[in-house]
Amino acid sequence: MANVKITEMTATTALTPDDVLVAVNSTATATRKITKADAWKAMAGDVMADDSYDGPAIAGLNAGETIGQWVPVHLSTAGTWMISDPTTTGKWPARGLSASTGSAGNPLTVVTGGLVRNDGWAFGGGTAADARNQSLYLSTVAGGLSTAAPTSAGSCIQVVGFALSDDEAFFNFTGVYAEHS
C-alpha cells in the first residue's frame, strides 16, 4: 500500500509494518508520517482496555473442549483448539491465546501474536516495574502462563512472549520449544 491519508482509509484497509500513515492537522500546515510500528509503540503502557489485543489472530477453527479466556492453546491433530499443558506430551507447543471463552464444537478466536492486556494477570508480583521484560512461559499448570520455565524432565520449555507490565504482554507464538531432559 502506498502512503495514504487517514481520511482515505476504510476499516478494510490492510496495513503492513512498513506502511506509512500521513497525519495532517486541521490547518494542513504540518504533517507527520506514522508507521504501523510507531502505532504499536504508542499502544504499549497500559493504554489498552482490559481483555483486549492488538495483533494477528486465527478465527474459524473450533474449540475441542471448554477453554477460558487468555488460555494458551495448541492445535490438536483433529484440527481443534485444546488447552496447552507443558507437562503432557502432545499438548504442546502452544500456538496462541484464546481471545474469549469457548466450548467444544464452537469457533474460537486465537491470538497468535501482538499485545494483550488482561487485568487478571499479575506478572512480576503485580507491579509493572517488577514485571517488565520478564519472559513468559507455559505454566506447569495446564492453560497458564508463568515467568518461570518448567523444570521437570519431559516438560516443554516454550517462551511465548514477555511482560510489558503486570497485566500487559507482547506475545509471539513461533512454536519454537525445547523438551527438558
Side-chain angles (χ1 to χ4, degrees), residues 1 4 9 19 21 25 33 35 74-75 90 96-97 129 136-137 146-147 158 174:
M1 178 176 89
V4 174
M9 293 178 63
D19 286 335
L21 303 176
N25 73 9
K33 291 184 178 184
T35 65
H74 71 280
L75 193 58
L97 291 173
L136 299 176
Y137 302 86
S146 176
T147 55
Q158 182 183 3
T174 62

Side-chain angles (χ1 to χ4, degrees), residues 8-136:
E8 296 169 357
M9 293 178 63
T10 67
T12 59
T13 302
L15 296 176
T16 67
D18 297 326
D19 286 335
V20 173
L21 303 176
V22 179
V24 181
N25 73 9
S26 60
T27 61
T29 58
T31 61
R32 178 167 186 244
K33 291 184 178 184
I34 305 169
T35 65
K36 187 171 182 188
D38 289 334
W40 275 55
K41 289 177 198 171
M43 289 299 294
D46 276 350
V47 296
M48 295 177 66
D50 182 29
D51 292 329
S52 63
Y53 69 92
D54 184 5
I58 298 171
L61 296 175
N62 290 340
E65 61 185 322
T66 299
I67 300 172
Q69 186 177 30
W70 307 129
V71 170
V73 294
H74 71 280
L75 193 58
S76 73
T77 56
T80 59
W81 296 113
M82 303 292 284
I83 297 171
S84 290
D85 180 352
T87 64
T88 305
T89 301
K91 294 194 172 196
W92 43 268
R95 299 297 185 188
L97 291 173
S98 55
S100 61
T101 58
S103 58
N106 293 302
L108 183 70
T109 299
V110 174
V111 178
T112 59
L115 298 172
V116 177
R117 180 173 175 179
N118 172 16
D119 288 350
W121 289 331
F123 302 129
T127 63
D130 291 340
R132 275 189 206 106
N133 202 35
Q134 288 190 20
S135 293
L136 299 176

Side-chain angles (χ1 to χ4, degrees), residues 121-176:
W121 289 331
F123 302 129
T127 63
D130 291 340
R132 275 189 206 106
N133 202 35
Q134 288 190 20
S135 293
L136 299 176
Y137 302 86
L138 296 180
S139 170
T140 55
V141 175
L145 297 167
S146 176
T147 55
T151 57
S152 60
S155 292
C156 171
I157 301 170
Q158 182 183 3
V159 177
V160 296
F162 63 93
L164 295 169
S165 71
D166 57 327
D167 60 4
E168 246 181 18
F170 181 84
F171 291 94
N172 185 15
F173 287 87
T174 62
V176 176

